[in-house]
Amino acid sequence: MSGQGSGGNVLAAICSFFLPGLGQLVQGRLLAAILFFVGMAISWILVWIAIGWLLVPIVYLWCIIDAAKYKGG
């Protein structure tokens, strides 16, 4: 894929918007995809003990921004 701001990164960011980790998977970054998906799942589980309400939006936005700013290499 091309550098930051490329069409591939925009597509990856959109994919991450719908399912955290999917954008990284589209970019071919399997480990990052798994980590973001698991991180989001853990955040949602932690919602039950109240700390998740803070973690969910942080992990969610971090995933989208990471997909959008990825520079292949």
Side-chain angles (χ1 to χ4, degrees), residues 6-66:
S6 71
N9 284 359
V10 172
L11 177 64
I14 291 170
C15 289
S16 284
F17 175 79
F18 290 108
L19 180 65
L22 184 59
Q24 286 76 11
L25 190 61
V26 166
Q27 291 172 329
R29 300 165 48 206
L30 183 60
L31 181 60
I34 291 169
L35 291 175
F36 276 115
F37 183 77
V38 169
M40 190 58 130
I42 290 170
S43 296
W44 276 111
I45 290 169
L46 291 176
V47 165
W48 291 100
I49 59 171
I51 194 170
W53 291 113
L54 180 63
L55 290 176
V56 168
I58 291 171
V59 173
Y60 189 68
L61 290 174
W62 181 18
C63 181
I64 294 169
I65 292 169
D66 178 70

